[in-house]
Amino acid sequence: ERAALMRPRPYARDEVIYLRGDPGTAFYVIASGKVKIALTSPDGKELILRRLGPGGFHGELALLDDEPRSADAIATEASLLLVLQRDAFRQFLADHAEAATKLLGTVSHYLRRNADLIQDATFLDVPARLARILLELAGEPGAAELPPPGAVLPDKMKQGELASLVGATRESINKRLGSFEKQGLISYDKGQI
């Protein structure tokens, strides 16, 4: 029944879904493709808060509190999103307590993740933040233990995207990756770390 209320909408690679400050009018579920949720500074620096794939969703916050969008959402590859308008979204949550509970769990998870990002940005230097991001990308989502030696980063991470995840410039990430490689902490194979 929910799917009937959801309109499919295709997005091209790098197409903006919404920008920070836009009014929030809809909730989005990713049917296919990938989306990044990011903050952009006035001088064009980017910090990626989350990367979402099929089954991921976003846009819930502005619908829950009637505030403008808190971050940018951009398709990082050709994507198909299912769009649920505000009133239908609220009605659905009112009718389905278990969906509301699941949504609360996800929003709590994002809050904790953002708290980690703030802590890292405040207390860790760039090499430490890069190391943490690399370990996170190489491990299983939500795993407490470190990834095994020889673990391969699933995506061919472009340095620009790594820089945006770490909240640093591409140049500084480039330099740090070089130094990690010299120390034997990472190696490259066909562009994969």
Side-chain angles (χ1 to χ4, degrees), residues 59-121:
E60 69 289 339
L61 281 188
L63 300 192
L64 292 170
D65 65 7
D66 286 325
E67 295 288 322
R69 297 293 187 194
S70 57
D72 305 340
I74 295 154
T76 54
E77 57 182 59
S79 300
L80 183 70
L81 270 53
L82 302 174
V83 186
L84 187 64
Q85 295 304 319
R86 175 196 305 254
D87 293 344
F89 171 77
R90 289 196 164 159
Q91 191 56 54
F92 180 78
L93 288 184
D95 295 344
H96 299 81
E98 76 289 351
T101 306
K102 192 167 176 347
L103 183 68
L104 267 176
T106 304
V107 171
S108 304
H109 173 73
Y110 292 157
L111 273 173
R112 289 177 193 278
R113 175 97 181 81
N114 287 356
D116 287 345
L117 282 173
I118 292 166
Q119 178 170 317
D120 285 1

Side-chain angles (χ1 to χ4, degrees), residues 2 10 15 30 73 91 107-108 175 184-185:
R2 172 173 44 168
E15 189 175 346
I30 302 167
Q91 191 56 54
V107 171
S108 304
K175 198 167 104 190
L185 300 172

Side-chain angles (χ1 to χ4, degrees), residues 41 60 68 74 130 165 184:
S41 69
E60 69 289 339
I74 295 154
L130 175 60
L165 283 167

Side-chain angles (χ1 to χ4, degrees), residues 10-18 32-37 58 72-81:
Y11 285 87
R13 182 194 162 116
D14 295 332
E15 189 175 346
V16 169
I17 300 157
Y18 51 79
S32 65
K34 288 194 180 138
V35 170
K36 68 180 173 186
I37 308 297
H58 59 94
D72 305 340
I74 295 154
T76 54
E77 57 182 59
S79 300
L80 183 70
L81 270 53

